[in-house]
Amino acid sequence: MMPMKPLQSKDFSGPGGPGPVGVAPKQRIDPSGPGGPQWIPVPAENPPTSQCYNCGHAPRPLPRSGDLHAHVRALERHFPRAVPEPVFIDHMAHVLGMHGFTPQTSINLVSTCRDEICRPFTDYLDAKCAVPSFNISSLAGTVSCGRTGFKAAMAHSPIAGGKERYVFWVAPHMALSEDNEEGKCFRVGRPSASSACGALLAVLGELKNGRVNVMIDTNDVEMSMLKQQLMGHLQGRVPTLTELTYATHDCIVEGVKRTAASAVDMDKCEYIIISGIQVHAAFSKNMFWPGSITKYSSRGVENLYEEYSRSVSTWSASDIIDYDESQRVPLHVQVPVQELNYNGLATIATNLKQQHWTTRKKAVMQFFLRMLVMWLPLLPLFIFGRRRRKMLGF
């Protein structure tokens, strides 16, 4: 297995390129300069700046200290056990290696949303592997390439020990703003907040309006298929954006399982399906919520989630942010943030079916309640008719 590349903390705010974190930023990028983007001085009273750890995009103000602490808590509440994408990939590479899935013996099939802010995940994954990943992505991270697309990717896999090995990485995505607003993020060159995932927000808008067009639009095939998958899963319920993202995750996993089973020959291959949710957090880092990690081979189905959990057990949520004590986050904020540690396999639910089981029980109870309300007015007629029949001797 190839050695893992250590993560390096960088500050991209200097005009000379990346520098060590903790150096106060002196300049910022002005995208509207006459000759194109240029560095201009930053007034001393401006707050510190943060940048995308993947690509060093133009900086924007860090959230205030109190907001930062609240945001980390909100992130843990919405997406428990989410970690930075490089952390997730590094620990998953360790788990995969223990099962014979290395860059030299397997091929990655990746499905994230077409959104450009999802791309760093694939870039980081490809940087670790000798074989570039095979793209199976569609809108919202759904997979629509079908059995033919799967077989094409599988035919590109290395053969080691007489076996082909495939690793599916699938994930929808969602943004969480500094104010913990679902679906809001900032993009390069846009002064106001943007949306992610735009496709899921469009579906959510139709759901709230009570009119969802599930007919296939030849000019919008991927969106039509996304709505068809979700309508069958939601069963008429109007969710929040977070719940809709979890539902999309479950739809993706079910579809990949079904398509992979129809495309593989288990005597000649084995594969692992890794699923989760990409979360675009407010401090310019992409996080990853681990949903399911399952290995399929001729010996059967094996759940690898606990192995990943043990591997990542030493990671702390305080590691989310590379901050300087004197400039970025006061000391009193660090203490509660550090409480969010991993201790073995989480006792939380890891998919929508478990998390919303109580909702489904409520739906069943509501059905019986409606039946009771419907038939209750007829009860006196039934009782009266029965007594009348007795009186007449029937």
Side-chain angles (χ1 to χ4, degrees):
M1 184 175 177
M2 295 180 64
M4 299 296 102
K5 298 180 180 179
L7 292 177
Q8 297 181 354
S9 300
K10 297 288 185 181
D11 185 350
F12 292 86
S13 55
V21 169
V23 178
K26 302 298 182 184
Q27 299 186 355
R28 66 178 175 85
I29 292 177
D30 180 12
S32 60
Q38 59 182 351
W39 290 97
I40 63 174
V42 176
E45 63 271 14
N46 276 13
T49 59
S50 69
Q51 292 180 307
C52 174
Y53 73 107
N54 296 295
C55 54
H57 283 160
R60 60 186 177 85
L62 277 171
R64 295 183 302 276
S65 300
D67 294 343
L68 180 62
H69 173 251
H71 183 70
V72 173
R73 291 291 184 183
L75 182 67
E76 180 73 7
R77 182 173 63 255
H78 285 287
F79 300 99
R81 305 303 185 256
V83 299
E85 288 178 348
V87 174
F88 177 76
I89 293 173
D90 288 345
H91 286 282
M92 272 310 312
H94 172 70
V95 174
L96 292 172
M98 293 191 298
H99 290 267
F101 289 76
T102 68
Q104 293 77 28
T105 64
S106 61
I107 185 171
N108 294 313
L109 288 74
V110 181
S111 180
T112 58
C113 185
R114 296 186 182 277
D115 196 320
E116 76 282 354
I117 60 177
C118 298
R119 182 65 193 179
F121 180 90
T122 307
D123 289 342
Y124 190 89
L125 181 64
D126 287 350
K128 288 182 164 296
C129 300
V131 181
S133 61
F134 190 98
N135 184 4
I136 57 173
S137 302
S138 298
L139 279 181
T142 56
V143 180
S144 57
C145 62
R147 182 172 60 250
T148 301
F150 277 29
K151 286 188 174 182
M154 294 167 180
H156 303 171
S157 171
I159 300 176
K163 290 275 188 180
E164 296 177 352
R165 292 175 176 84
Y166 330 120
V167 183
F168 295 87
W169 306 75
V170 296
H173 72 126
M174 194 192 93
L176 193 64
S177 72
E178 295 175 1
D179 297 326
N180 303 321
E181 184 178 0
E182 298 179 359
K184 295 299 181 182
C185 64
F186 287 87
R187 299 175 190 269
V188 177
R190 301 187 67 87
S192 58
S194 183
S195 301
C197 172
L200 293 184
L201 282 166
V203 174
L204 186 59
E206 292 189 23
L207 284 168
K208 290 180 177 179
N209 291 332
R211 298 182 64 182
V212 181
N213 181 11
V214 295
M215 299 297 292
I216 292 293
D217 182 351
T218 56
N219 294 320
D220 203 4
V221 174
E222 290 186 4
M223 186 64 173
S224 301
M225 295 179 65
L226 171 63
K227 288 190 285 188
Q228 287 184 354
Q229 292 180 51
L230 287 173
M231 290 311 100
H233 195 87
L234 294 174
Q235 299 177 350
R237 180 171 172 267
V238 179
T240 65
L241 180 59
T242 299
E243 292 170 340
L244 184 60
T245 307
Y246 277 109
T248 306
H249 165 270
D250 285 356
C251 287
I252 294 171
V253 174
E254 291 172 5
V256 170
K257 287 180 179 179
R258 183 173 57 252
T259 308
S262 68
V264 301
D265 181 353
M266 296 308 298
D267 293 329
K268 299 179 181 179
C269 73
E270 55 186 6
Y271 60 95
I272 295 176
I273 299 177
I274 302 169
S275 71
I277 296 174
Q278 287 184 282
V279 186
H280 311 294
F283 34 82
S284 299
K285 284 195 175 183
N286 282 350
M287 309 292 288
F288 196 93
W289 171 80
S292 63
I293 307 163
T294 311
K295 178 183 177 182
Y296 298 84
S297 67
S298 57
R299 294 184 296 274
V301 179
E302 184 178 358
N303 189 348
L304 306 183
Y305 192 94
E306 188 170 358
E307 292 185 29
Y308 162 78
S309 182
R310 286 196 300 266
S311 176
V312 80
S313 61
T314 58
W315 187 86
S316 168
S318 62
D319 298 329
I320 291 176
I321 306 161
D322 295 320
Y323 46 71
D324 179 77
E325 294 180 3
S326 62
Q327 298 181 25
R328 303 200 173 197
V329 183
L331 289 172
H332 70 273
V333 176
Q334 297 180 22
V335 176
V337 171
Q338 290 177 340
E339 294 173 2
L340 300 176
N341 294 323
Y342 283 78
N343 295 307
L345 181 62
T347 58
I348 61 167
T350 57
N351 58 57
L352 185 70
K353 291 181 180 178
Q354 293 173 325
Q355 291 176 349
H356 299 292
W357 174 242
T358 55
T359 302
R360 294 177 178 178
K361 287 194 292 186
K362 288 180 181 177
V364 173
M365 294 183 66
Q366 288 174 355
F367 171 78
F368 284 110
L369 182 61
R370 285 196 296 268
M371 294 296 102
L372 180 62
V373 171
M374 182 185 303
W375 291 101
L376 190 60
L378 301 177
L379 185 60
L381 295 177
F382 174 76
I383 296 175
F384 177 77
R386 187 174 180 181
R387 288 181 177 178
R388 189 162 179 259
R389 287 193 299 270
K390 285 184 177 179
M391 291 173 60
L392 296 175
F394 292 109

